[in-house]
Amino acid sequence: MAKLLLRPYRIKERCAVLVPKVKKFVGRIIEEHQQNGGSTKLSDDADFVDVMLSLEGEEKMEKDDMIAVLWEMIFRGTDTTALLTEWVMAELVLNQDIQGKLQRELDVVAGSKNIKDADIANLPYLQAVVKETLRVHPPGPLLSWARLSTSDVQLSNGMIIPSNTTAMVNMWHITHDPKVWEEPLVFKPERFVESDGGANVDVRGSDLRLAPFGAGRRVCPGKNLGLVTVNLWVAKLVQNFNWVADQEHPVDFSEVLKLSCEMKHPLIAQATPRNIVASF
Ligand code: HEM
């Protein structure tokens, strides 16, 4: 009897087409760096690829390994940061009062100057807006795909996860749990502004009420880069433009889980340039 193979997504075939494209694309980045003198001597503006190329002796990396590392960074770091920025902007479009409050903070702290990543430390409301978006719309709602328990684990509620169980952490549920967060469905950055009586929550894995980058040994290695990038993009977008909803495309918070949790209907908004009034 003929064996019927059900392969609705044709994963193997699609990967076989994708992998050579990835190798070519990422390989070109490495070759460009080599041509630009990637060597053992690192200059002040050396980037990550230069550092990999500079490794010697036991640390020396083969090109295929460099490709794998770079691809992992592009693959894990691109859509997460872009999607988080999109969710932040969607919340700001819908919550004009919060957008206005953020603009006032940016005007006071930065005025019309070109905001740099070093300025973010002085923008607590901006950081609170990004944290609140990570809470309401965590890009990785289930953290990693799966974990395998290597021994029996007893949870604080008495439940036992037996050894060799495939388990997933539902971070989305934790960040929307009314036992953990007051009014969890309300977008309220103030809950993270300490000077307003808000909580001091580190989102980088030490506080499990909000760990959108995971925690422990497999925590996201790009968490600091991701946070700085999103804070900076949002700061620049909101410093320089007013954002309002598009009449024909109202903001729709429906979610769809692909590699990351995306807006099912991508944000369409109208931006008008601002006259920045520095109010020092
Ligand atoms: C807002 C941005 C980001 C979010 C929300 C995010 C979230 C996550 C999450 C939830 C995980 C899984 C953690 C776990 O298994 O417990 C992860 C893993 C990972 N992330 Fe990110 N990430 C972001 C940005 C980045 C950036 C910018 C990079 C690299 C440039 C990056 C590289 C990685 C890598 C390589 C892993 C796999 C780590 C491992 O399996 O050991 N991520 N990230």
Side-chain angles (χ1 to χ4, degrees):
M1 199 169 69
K3 208 169 153 188
L4 182 64
L5 280 178
L6 284 179
R7 294 175 297 122
Y9 297 109
R10 298 176 25 259
I11 303 280
K12 276 195 176 166
E13 288 90 331
R14 288 165 64 199
C15 282
V17 176
L18 180 66
V19 169
K21 285 188 187 167
V22 168
K23 281 194 165 183
K24 198 170 160 198
F25 176 76
V26 182
R28 209 164 47 220
I29 300 176
I30 296 169
E31 281 147 26
E32 276 165 16
H33 280 71
Q34 282 169 326
Q35 278 156 18
N36 292 341
S39 70
T40 50
K41 205 162 170 286
L42 288 175
S43 63
D44 283 349
D45 58 355
D47 63 17
F48 188 75
V49 181
D50 294 317
V51 174
M52 286 199 292
L53 285 168
S54 74
L55 299 175
E56 289 182 314
E58 278 187 6
E59 291 185 324
K60 191 171 170 56
M61 291 176 79
E62 296 299 329
K63 190 171 174 191
D64 273 354
D65 291 335
M66 285 189 229
I67 290 177
V69 171
L70 278 180
W71 176 237
E72 178 79 354
M73 286 181 71
I74 294 170
F75 169 67
R76 303 295 294 245
T78 309
D79 72 327
T80 41
T81 36
L83 290 169
L84 181 58
T85 308
E86 187 181 13
W87 283 114
V88 176
M89 294 311 294
E91 288 289 359
L92 293 178
V93 165
L94 211 64
N95 296 286
Q96 288 290 317
D97 51 334
I98 295 175
Q99 186 181 151
K101 193 167 169 183
L102 178 55
Q103 280 170 335
R104 283 193 292 284
E105 178 181 78
L106 291 163
D107 289 350
V108 170
V109 175
S112 58
K113 85 166 191 179
N114 184 18
I115 296 180
K116 298 262 167 57
D117 47 8
D119 297 315
I120 292 166
N122 302 320
L123 295 162
Y125 196 64
L126 170 71
Q127 292 180 51
V129 167
V130 173
K131 279 186 189 177
E132 180 66 340
T133 310
L134 279 165
R135 186 187 69 77
V136 183
H137 311 285
L142 300 173
L143 298 186
S144 58
W145 296 121
R147 292 282 153 75
L148 191 69
S149 57
T150 50
S151 57
D152 292 356
V153 179
Q154 180 159 21
L155 304 182
S156 54
N157 64 4
M159 186 186 278
I160 293 186
I161 300 179
S163 173
N164 216 24
T165 305
T166 301
M168 298 175 89
V169 176
N170 190 340
M171 184 46 64
W172 194 100
H173 183 77
I174 298 172
T175 63
H176 290 78
D177 185 347
K179 292 202 280 294
V180 179
W181 298 98
E182 208 178 292
E183 297 188 294
L185 298 181
V186 180
F187 186 82
K188 199 165 54 174
E190 285 70 16
R191 66 175 93 233
F192 295 116
V193 180
E194 281 178 77
S195 57
D196 277 357
N200 174 11
V201 176
D202 183 354
V203 295
R204 289 169 300 177
S206 58
D207 189 328
L208 297 182
R209 289 174 297 171
L210 180 54
F213 298 95
R217 277 193 285 182
R218 297 298 292 270
V219 69
C220 171
K223 58 191 174 173
N224 290 329
L225 178 62
L227 277 173
V228 166
T229 307
V230 175
N231 274 280
L232 197 60
W233 281 352
V234 171
K236 286 174 183 289
L237 290 172
V238 174
Q239 179 195 32
N240 292 294
F241 297 94
N242 288 316
W243 296 86
V244 292
D246 183 86
Q247 297 283 322
E248 287 169 27
H249 303 94
V251 178
D252 180 342
F253 282 138
S254 308
E255 300 171 334
V256 55
L257 185 57
K258 294 189 183 170
L259 271 176
S260 305
C261 189
E262 303 186 4
M263 291 186 80
K264 191 170 178 189
H265 304 287
L267 176 67
I268 297 181
Q270 288 181 6
T272 44
R274 290 183 71 220
N275 275 331
I276 303 166
V277 185
S279 45
F280 293 98

